[in-house]
Amino acid sequence: MSTGLILLLLLMGAFGGFAAGMLGIGGGMILVPFITMIFTAQGFAPHAIIHMAVATSLGVIMFTSISSVRAHHQHGAVLWPVAALLAPGILLGAWCGPWIAKQLSSSGQALLFAVFLTISASQILFGKKAAAQPSASAQQDAAHLPARSAMFGTGMLIGVISGLVGAGGGFLSVPFLMRRGVRIQNAVATSAALGFPIALSGTLSNIYYGWQVAGLPPYALGFVYVPALAVMALASVSMAPFGARAAHRLPVQTLKKIFAVMLYCLAAYMLYKALG
């Protein structure tokens, strides 16, 4: 890779890591469109570009989530009992997501991602603000959650959609937890913890289902492009703790509005890829 490409990937990884730590979203919503642009410019096989962008994004999230959740854990914000209830369904769903994606054409996957970005941006921009709540323990928050079987189903849904679009699941898990009475800080932190099982299962699935695909570039492990993964993961892991600290110190609502506008722009690009 050229020096310019390495620097661009470092910048992308840093921004994705910061967003992952601050918003509990895993960074995939930002990374996938930008990785798609880069892989297109590199002349990768058109039928594999978006599959590879999603797979590489999940690989980055696997490393970012570890760094992000460590910072949130230091604030005592992660609800580990809640994460444990959602994780089994998430592991299964995140494995199935890439298989579903493989059945789609490149245009179909781009269109799906454009819809996903638009919904996510609208949710961030127009979603109901969390009411101020007193401090609550993990046990108190968990008491408002549904039964174990419903948590498994919810986790599976989060995993499938996250595996399809290469995201960390925060766009689903954070609103779900907040609707169940969990404070936003705990919801973001717990979502960050869920990013690892999503990314681990989704990455392994993309390696498996992409293993026999023809036309992939050198150094691709299934659908995962290892050079881009290594560079972006390095920057993402370094910045995720700063994002997690920002979630506790900065005016996150203002930053969310800026982030939502960016997602609309990226949705427009993915729609262009789908229709182009």
Side-chain angles (χ1 to χ4, degrees):
M1 292 188 294
S2 67
T3 302
L5 178 57
I6 292 174
L7 291 175
L8 180 59
L9 290 171
L10 284 172
L11 179 63
M12 284 172 47
F15 187 60
F18 184 84
M22 184 180 69
L23 303 174
I25 58 168
M29 288 188 289
I30 296 173
L31 292 180
V32 171
F34 282 121
I35 296 173
T36 298
M37 294 178 196
I38 289 175
F39 287 177
T40 299
Q42 293 296 305
F44 288 178
H47 71 275
I49 285 176
I50 296 179
H51 293 292
M52 292 184 66
V54 168
T56 304
S57 170
L58 284 169
V60 174
I61 293 169
M62 187 167 56
F63 294 96
T64 304
S65 62
I66 297 173
S67 179
S68 176
V69 76
R70 182 183 301 168
H72 282 295
H73 178 69
Q74 290 173 350
H75 287 88
V78 181
L79 304 183
W80 291 109
V82 176
L85 286 173
L86 288 168
I90 275 175
L91 286 168
L92 179 59
W95 178 272
C96 296
W99 177 83
I100 297 172
K102 191 178 178 182
Q103 315 310 310
L104 301 174
S105 66
S106 182
S107 295
Q109 199 173 7
L111 180 60
L112 175 68
F113 200 89
V115 172
F116 154 72
L117 281 174
T118 302
I119 293 172
S120 299
S122 300
Q123 177 180 286
I124 291 171
L125 197 58
F126 304 113
K128 183 179 179 181
K129 294 182 180 179
Q133 298 176 3
S135 298
S137 68
Q139 290 77 12
Q140 288 173 322
D141 282 326
H144 297 284
L145 297 172
R148 184 179 297 269
S149 59
M151 291 290 281
F152 179 86
T154 300
M156 187 169 179
L157 177 63
I158 292 171
V160 167
I161 297 176
S162 299
L164 268 170
V165 298
F171 62 98
L172 292 174
S173 56
V174 170
F176 166 72
L177 292 173
M178 288 177 62
R179 281 196 297 269
R180 305 305 300 189
V182 176
R183 294 181 304 133
I184 186 170
Q185 293 89 346
N186 297 110
V188 168
T190 306
S191 173
L194 294 171
F196 181 76
I198 287 172
L200 175 63
S201 184
T203 299
L204 293 176
S205 180
N206 272 297
I207 292 173
Y208 178 79
Y209 289 116
W211 195 261
Q212 300 294 333
V213 174
L216 298 182
Y219 309 110
L221 191 60
F223 285 126
V224 178
Y225 188 54
V226 177
L229 166 61
V231 173
M232 287 190 294
L234 177 64
S236 187
V237 167
S238 301
M239 288 302 296
F242 293 98
R245 295 187 192 115
H248 297 270
R249 298 176 183 176
L250 297 180
V252 177
Q253 291 300 328
T254 300
L255 295 175
K256 279 185 176 181
K257 292 176 182 178
I258 298 172
F259 184 69
V261 172
M262 177 181 294
L263 292 184
Y264 281 128
C265 295
L266 293 176
Y269 170 75
M270 295 304 286
L271 183 60
Y272 166 77
K273 288 290 293 183
L275 301 178

